[in-house]
């Protein structure tokens, strides 16, 4: 039985698909035999125990950590196992390792760094608290953000002299002339009157009418906002909307018009919490900095910076009467300030120090006398244990810090939301139990009144103003409205937030095909973005390829399906050979129209005759990506094992290996020019261009990306190359110079491809975007 390589094992784990017995055995053999894997797994378990994956407040933090883990693991593997890795890659790997160590040692920081004055950290974590009477506010040193405002017309809202708002510009980044998809949803906000719902995503902010779900406007918060919107909030009147991003941008819009009143570019760090003062004049901003900032809501001027805990501010909330401001940090320390003098009134610990508890929600009671705080933790001891969860809903007196436990929750509670009367508290529960993953709590007795379904993760649940309905959204644009009186559940969906996979250009460059997250094949006009047709596909379909004559499309999932490229009609299906129903990693029609090939995660290249649609051969390439030669007689396949990374050339008819090229790192994908004279690969962090004849390097550059190169593309004339990892970089091959950076991608690109005429470049991403840029000026 052939042993898995690292990439195959990683993809088995990350695919989310149920593994067969054979696959599970091979995966376990790989992990047991791989010393680096065991070391890495042990280290990652330590990280999980110190910062549990189930903490709702790190819904995005955990995602970023896993993303870093996924991206750094190949780099660390290369440092240990490859003699060809340069010192630059080693430095990157060690930097990533240090980042993970810092996160994992958070509990050590909490335990050994002395507490702030006035906070008595007892062994149980419930402090003996005395009110603080510091005469002046604690002001943290912080870099002054840059105010960015573009001039257009002034709206009716009161704006300081010299500040001119800008209209919402949509989600289309510079140089892109077509976008499908609005990214991956990260935040929701329902206005208090339930008239509007704002959606923050990896692409920007969109506003919808709640009743009709008609889009009112969309705007990108910044050109290159990594991960998009990290926090979002409306003022009480529902007239202004604020949003912060993962790279520290902050902006405020007029809700009805979409006019951006001002923006701060760049702030200090990830903006994790936004809270409007009841009078709408100030915004409290919590970030990874150790302070809570107060911003003038009308012009973006920073008013105060209030020192909080030892780690970032996760939650912020103003009391309903506007007299107090509360903030909570990652490890459960809560601070309350007087909203006029900015003196700290009290601070207290909400979580026991000896357990990995976390603050998971913070909200004021209707009378402004206490804070509703949810905390919880996850624990798992030993290698084979089942994770267990525990949580608590408590009231904390805003003056004395005394605690009253409302409810002991058998799961992890988050997103507390109090109805307008202040009598009923709604709590989301993670990971849920059965179909019901939310509870209603009576504020007087602390008793659980009812359970309800639909509280998905930490995307925020909110009460409607009629006090009988709850708004329960998820990350895919779906949301539920539940009537808490009769249990009636209404499910709806805001369209446009489905992920994309697969990408194929029509031979005339006029159309582009992609596969949406709902297993639909969608064909667009490449210039206007108009949707030409949609076809329903089989489950598991992730790849599409266009026939050289432009009349057919092929897709692969449970079957190979052939679709009419003009009508979307299914023409026929071709059977997949037995024992090859694996996770597919590529599908390409041969340039000579005679064959279609697909490659599995295990490196099996499966070939069909494009006339009879019979299986005509299988080549064990040992890789997971490939490219056809222009004449269709050969394929180049990436071969990645523990100690070697190569490009292997195969004779398709004979199924024999012809030649090899040594790559500089893990071969992520291969692109062959239409003339057949050049080959491009993403090799670890390197972009490599070879002469396809003598195999000499034409270009070898270390990509200047946010992380290692994930995909490369070569223009059909072989003059331009594109590499992507967070952003797209265009390269002039003859000179070896970087000539442009294209923004708009905030997550991993699954596919990157130049149009056949070379005027456009397209990419699909896992965050829900299909982008097409105009690159004609660079030829």
């Amino acid at each position: 039985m052939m042993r898995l390589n690292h990439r195959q094992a990683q993809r088995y784990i990350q695919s989310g698909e149920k593994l067969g017995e054979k696959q599970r055995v091979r995966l376990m053999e790989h992990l047991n035999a791989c010393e680096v894997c065991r070391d890495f797994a042990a280290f990652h378990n330590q990280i999980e125990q110190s910062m549990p994956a189930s903490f709702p407040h790190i819904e995005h933090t955990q995602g970023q950590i896993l993303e870093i883990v996924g991206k750094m693991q190949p780099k660390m593997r290369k440092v240990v196992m490859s003699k060809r890795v340069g010192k630059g890659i080693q430095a990157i790997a060690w930097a990533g390792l240090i980042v993970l160590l810092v996160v994992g040692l958070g509990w050590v920081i909490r335990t050994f760094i002395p507490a702030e004055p006035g906070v008595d950290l007892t062994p149980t974590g419930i402090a003996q608290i005395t009110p603080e009477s510091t005469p002046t506010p604690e002001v943290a040193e912080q870099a002054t953000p840059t105010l960015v405002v573009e001039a257009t017309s002034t709206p009716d809202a009161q704006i300081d002299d010299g500040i001119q708002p800008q209209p919402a510009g949509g989600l289309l980044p510079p140089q892109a002339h077509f976008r499908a998809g609005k990214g991956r949803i990260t935040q929701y906000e329902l206005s208090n009157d339930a008239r509007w719902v704002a959606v923050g995503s990896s692409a920007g902010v969109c506003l919808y009418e709640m009743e009709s779900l008609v889009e009112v406007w969309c705007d990108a918060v910044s050109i290159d906002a990594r991960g998009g919107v990290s926090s979002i909030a409306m003022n009480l009147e529902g007239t202004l909307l604020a949003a912060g991003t993962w790279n520290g941008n902050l902006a405020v819009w007029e809700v009805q018009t979409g006019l951006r009143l001002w923006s701060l570019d760049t702030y200090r760090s990830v903006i994790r919490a936004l809270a409007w003062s009841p009078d709408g004049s100030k915004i409290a901003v919590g970030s990874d900095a150790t302070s809570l900032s107060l911003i003038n809501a009308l012009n973006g001027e920073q008013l105060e910076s209030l020192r909080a805990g030892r780690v970032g501010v996760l939650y912020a909330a103003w009391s309903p009467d506007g007299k107090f401001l509360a903030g909570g940090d990652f490890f459960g320390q809560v601070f309350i300030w007087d909203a006029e003098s900015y003196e700290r009134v009290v601070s207290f610990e909400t979580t026991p120090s000896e357990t990995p508890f976390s603050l998971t929600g913070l909200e004021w009671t209707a009378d402004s006398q206490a804070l509703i705080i949810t905390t919880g933790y996850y624990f798992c001891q030993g290698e084979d244990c089942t994770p267990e969860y525990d949580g608590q809903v408590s009231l904390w007196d805003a003056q004395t810090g005394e605690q009253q436990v409302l409810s002991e929750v058998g799961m992890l509670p988050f997103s507390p939301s109090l109805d307008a009367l202040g009598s009923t508290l709604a709590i989301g529960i993670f990971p849920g139990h059965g179909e019901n993953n939310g509870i209603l709590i009576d504020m007087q007795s602390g008793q659980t009144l009812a359970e309800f379904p639909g509280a998905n993760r930490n995307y925020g649940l909110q009460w409607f103003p009629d006090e009988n309905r709850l708004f329960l959204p998820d990350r895919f644009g779906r949301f539920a409205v539940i009537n808490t009186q009769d249990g009636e559940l209404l499910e709806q969906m805001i369209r446009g937030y489905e992920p994309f996979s697969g990408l194929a250009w029509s031979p005339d460059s006029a159309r582009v095909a992609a596969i949406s997250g709902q297993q639909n094949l969608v064909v667009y006009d490449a210039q206007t973005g108009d949707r030409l047709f949609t076809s329903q596909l089989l489950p598991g379909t992730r790849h599409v390829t266009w026939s050289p004559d432009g009349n057919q499309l092929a897709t692969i999932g449970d079957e190979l399906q052939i679709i009419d490229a003009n009508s979307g009609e299914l023409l026929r299906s071709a059977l997949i050979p037995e024992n090859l129903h694996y996770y597919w990693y590529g599908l390409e029609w041969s340039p000579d129209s005679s064959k279609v090939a697909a490659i599995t995660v295990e490196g099996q290249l499966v070939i069909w005759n494009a006339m009879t649609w019979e299986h005509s051969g299988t080549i064990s390439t040992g890789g997971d990506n490939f490219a056809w030669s222009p004449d269709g007689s050969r394929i180049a396949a990436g071969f990645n094992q523990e100690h070697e990374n190569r490009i292997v050339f195969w004779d398709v008819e004979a199924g024999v290996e012809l030649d090899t090229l040594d790559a500089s790192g893990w071969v992520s994908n291969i692109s062959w020019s239409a003339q057949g004279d050049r080959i491009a690969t993403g090799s670890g962090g390197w972009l490599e261009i070879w002469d396809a004849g003598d195999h000499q390097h034409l270009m070898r550059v270390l990509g200047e990306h946010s992380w290692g190169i994930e995909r490369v593309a070569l223009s059909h004339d072989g003059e331009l190359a594109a590499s992507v990892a967070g952003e797209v970089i265009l390269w002039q091959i003859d000179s070896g110079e970087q000539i442009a950076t294209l923004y708009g991608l905030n997550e991993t690109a699954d596919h990157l491809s130049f149009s056949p005429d070379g005027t456009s470049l397209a990419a699909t991403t896992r965050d829900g975007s299909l982008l097409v840029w105009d690159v004609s000026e660079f030829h």
Side-chain angles (χ1 to χ4, degrees):
M1 186 182 296
M2 184 177 67
R3 177 167 291 173
L4 294 178
N5 61 42
H6 285 279
R7 177 64 65 88
Q8 291 166 345
Q10 186 177 12
R11 286 175 176 168
Y12 268 159
I13 296 168
Q14 294 177 345
S15 68
E17 296 186 352
K18 185 176 180 180
L19 301 181
E21 182 63 22
K22 174 184 174 183
Q23 294 157 307
R24 288 196 304 104
V25 170
R26 295 182 63 191
L27 179 59
M28 291 306 299
E29 285 180 349
H30 172 79
L31 294 177
N32 290 333
C34 173
E35 183 177 349
V36 174
C37 295
R38 291 200 302 272
D39 291 344
F40 183 85
F43 175 72
H44 186 257
N45 287 338
Q46 292 177 2
I47 295 295
E48 285 191 324
Q49 289 176 8
S50 63
M51 198 166 93
S54 61
F55 287 179
H57 80 262
I58 58 167
E59 174 75 23
H60 306 296
T61 305
Q62 181 70 10
Q64 283 192 327
I65 289 173
L66 293 178
E67 185 175 2
I68 292 170
V69 167
K71 291 182 174 66
M72 292 310 303
Q73 187 175 4
K75 293 185 177 65
M76 288 188 284
R77 181 174 60 247
K78 294 186 186 77
V79 168
V80 176
M81 296 183 176
S82 176
K83 296 180 180 180
R84 296 183 294 272
V85 174
K87 292 184 178 180
I89 299 299
Q90 294 181 21
I92 294 173
W94 283 112
L97 184 59
I98 290 171
V99 170
L100 292 174
L101 285 172
V102 169
V103 174
L105 293 175
W107 296 110
V108 177
I109 294 173
R110 177 183 177 183
T111 304
F112 293 102
I113 296 181
E116 297 264 340
V119 182
D120 175 21
L121 299 181
T122 65
T124 63
I126 299 176
Q128 303 298 318
I129 302 158
T130 56
E132 301 180 15
S133 57
T134 307
T136 57
E138 294 182 328
V139 180
E141 295 182 4
Q142 184 164 317
T144 304
T146 304
L147 187 65
V148 178
V149 182
E150 297 187 10
T152 54
S153 59
T154 305
D156 295 334
Q158 179 183 356
I159 304 296
D160 285 3
D161 292 341
I163 305 278
Q164 298 294 323
Q166 66 178 64
L171 302 178
L172 199 65
Q175 294 176 303
H177 57 82
F178 160 41
R179 177 181 197 129
K182 300 173 184 176
R184 173 179 54 85
I185 292 178
T186 57
Q187 299 285 325
Y188 290 88
E189 176 77 349
L190 182 68
S191 63
N192 284 337
D193 59 5
R195 180 181 178 186
W196 314 106
V197 58
V199 178
S201 74
S202 56
V205 176
C206 290
L207 185 84
Y208 301 86
E209 288 186 346
M210 180 61 192
E211 184 175 350
S212 64
L213 297 184
V214 171
E215 180 185 301
V216 181
W217 56 264
C218 288
D219 198 12
V221 181
S222 65
I223 292 176
D224 60 344
R226 293 285 172 268
V229 175
S230 57
S231 55
I232 193 169
M234 272 189 216
N235 65 354
L236 291 179
E237 292 77 17
T239 57
L240 298 176
L241 173 70
T245 71
W246 285 100
N247 66 341
N249 293 312
L250 176 64
V252 169
W253 294 264
E254 193 177 62
V255 167
Q256 293 199 32
T257 65
L259 287 171
R260 188 189 298 192
L261 304 185
W262 53 265
S263 62
L264 294 173
D265 187 18
T266 307
Y267 200 65
R268 185 171 178 117
S269 57
V270 178
I271 297 176
R272 301 191 180 275
L274 291 173
W276 288 83
S277 62
D279 63 4
S281 64
K282 294 184 284 290
I283 303 173
V285 182
S287 69
D288 279 354
T290 59
S291 59
L292 184 67
S293 297
L294 296 183
I295 304 294
N296 185 317
L298 293 180
N299 59 22
E301 178 187 356
Q302 181 164 306
L303 303 174
E304 293 288 347
S305 183
L306 306 176
R307 185 169 298 281
R310 297 176 291 272
V311 288
V313 178
L314 185 64
Y315 294 99
W318 295 82
S319 62
D321 61 11
K323 295 181 179 179
F324 301 102
L325 173 62
D329 70 16
F330 284 96
F331 296 142
Q333 197 170 9
V334 174
F335 306 85
I336 300 177
W337 294 271
D338 184 287
E340 291 187 4
S341 66
Y342 303 130
E343 292 182 4
R344 188 185 293 181
V345 176
V346 71
S347 61
F348 49 86
E349 287 283 345
T350 63
T351 61
S353 58
E354 75 276 8
T355 59
F357 261 89
S358 172
L359 180 68
T360 62
L362 183 153
E363 182 167 324
W364 284 90
T365 55
D367 59 8
S368 301
Q369 297 301 305
L371 282 171
I372 305 166
I373 292 176
T374 58
T375 57
Y377 72 100
Y378 132 111
F379 58 92
C380 186
Q381 297 180 350
E383 295 182 357
D384 301 319
C385 72
T386 300
E388 297 184 29
Y389 304 82
D390 202 357
Q392 195 174 84
V393 183
S394 302
L395 287 180
W396 295 77
D397 189 285
Q399 296 295 323
T400 67
E402 293 180 357
Q403 180 192 24
Q404 173 193 346
V405 176
L406 271 181
S407 177
E408 296 283 356
V409 182
M411 291 293 182
L412 200 69
F414 63 87
S415 298
S417 183
L418 193 64
D419 67 355
L421 297 178
S423 60
T424 306
L425 180 68
I427 299 288
I429 302 296
F430 177 83
H433 43 94
E435 295 182 355
N436 296 317
N437 51 1
I439 58 173
L440 298 178
I441 298 175
D442 182 272
M443 287 296 293
Q444 294 298 320
S445 65
Q447 293 183 344
T448 297
L449 301 176
E451 296 183 348
F452 58 87
N456 293 297
R457 298 269 180 160
N458 195 19
Y459 289 88
L461 55 85
Q462 292 177 257
W463 286 93
F464 279 78
D466 61 17
E467 303 163 12
N468 292 326
R469 292 183 297 160
L470 280 169
F471 174 70
L472 308 166
D474 72 7
R475 64 192 178 100
F476 298 110
R478 301 172 304 207
F479 67 89
V481 176
I482 185 169
N483 189 310
T484 59
Q485 299 298 307
D486 57 20
E488 181 183 359
L489 187 69
L490 174 65
E491 294 184 343
Q492 292 181 272
M493 185 169 186
I494 303 174
R495 299 290 177 180
Y497 294 94
E498 300 171 355
F500 283 92
S501 63
L503 177 68
W505 282 96
S506 63
D508 61 3
S509 302
R511 294 170 290 170
V512 63
I515 297 171
S516 77
Q518 298 301 314
Q519 301 301 315
N520 290 321
L521 171 66
V522 188
V523 175
Y524 298 91
D525 183 297
Q527 293 299 315
T528 66
D530 293 338
R531 184 177 293 206
L532 302 179
F533 69 79
T534 301
S535 296
Q536 183 68 40
L537 301 173
L538 293 174
T541 304
R542 296 183 65 251
H543 299 277
V544 59
T545 183
W546 215 302
S547 66
D549 64 8
N551 293 325
Q552 298 177 92
L553 289 157
T555 66
I556 194 163
D558 290 345
E559 293 181 356
L560 179 69
Q561 292 186 301
I562 313 304
I563 296 167
D564 187 294
N566 298 306
S567 67
E569 178 186 357
L570 176 64
L571 299 177
R572 66 174 300 152
S573 295
L575 294 178
I576 295 172
E578 268 186 63
N579 302 321
L580 283 178
H581 289 265
Y582 291 145
Y583 197 69
W584 298 98
Y585 257 81
L587 175 70
E588 296 291 341
W589 213 302
S590 68
D592 65 1
S593 302
S594 65
K595 301 176 182 66
V596 170
I599 198 165
T600 72
V601 68
E602 294 192 330
Q604 300 296 316
L605 185 76
V606 186
I607 304 170
W608 289 266
N609 184 306
M611 298 299 292
T612 65
W613 295 111
E614 293 180 353
H615 173 230
S616 63
T618 300
I619 300 174
S620 296
T621 68
D624 56 14
N625 59 87
F626 74 100
W628 286 99
S629 66
D631 62 5
S633 65
R634 295 168 294 158
I635 62 105
F639 179 88
N640 298 298
Q641 295 294 343
E642 294 182 356
H643 298 283
E644 55 182 331
N645 307 113
R646 295 183 283 127
I647 302 164
V648 184
F649 297 89
W650 296 83
D651 182 299
V652 176
E653 292 296 334
V656 297
E657 182 178 322
L658 298 175
D659 202 356
T660 63
L661 275 174
D662 287 332
S664 297
W666 194 279
V667 180
S668 58
N669 78 303
I670 303 170
S671 181
W672 212 320
S673 68
Q675 287 75 22
D677 58 341
R678 293 178 175 181
I679 291 176
T681 68
S683 306
W686 298 91
L687 168 64
E688 297 189 290
I689 312 291
W690 279 277
D691 184 294
D694 60 17
H695 294 177
Q696 296 299 308
H697 269 117
L698 300 175
M699 176 179 170
R700 182 176 180 269
V701 295
L702 188 63
E704 299 178 11
H705 289 282
S706 304
W707 51 78
I709 292 173
E710 295 168 331
R711 289 289 183 271
V712 299
L714 198 60
S715 64
H716 281 226
D717 59 11
E719 294 181 1
L720 295 179
S723 57
V724 61
E727 59 281 306
V728 176
I729 294 180
L730 290 180
W731 305 84
Q732 178 61 249
I733 294 176
D734 289 338
S735 66
E737 294 180 354
Q738 176 180 326
I739 56 177
T741 300
L742 307 177
Y743 294 105
L745 304 181
N746 294 305
E747 291 194 11
T748 302
D750 279 331
H751 297 272
L752 182 71
S753 177
F754 282 94
S755 61
D757 63 9
T759 62
S760 300
L761 179 69
T764 56
T765 72
R766 299 172 194 173
D767 78 339
S769 298
L770 164 60
L771 274 166
V772 179
W773 295 271
D774 184 352
V775 295
S776 57
E777 65 179 284
F778 302 111
H779 278 273

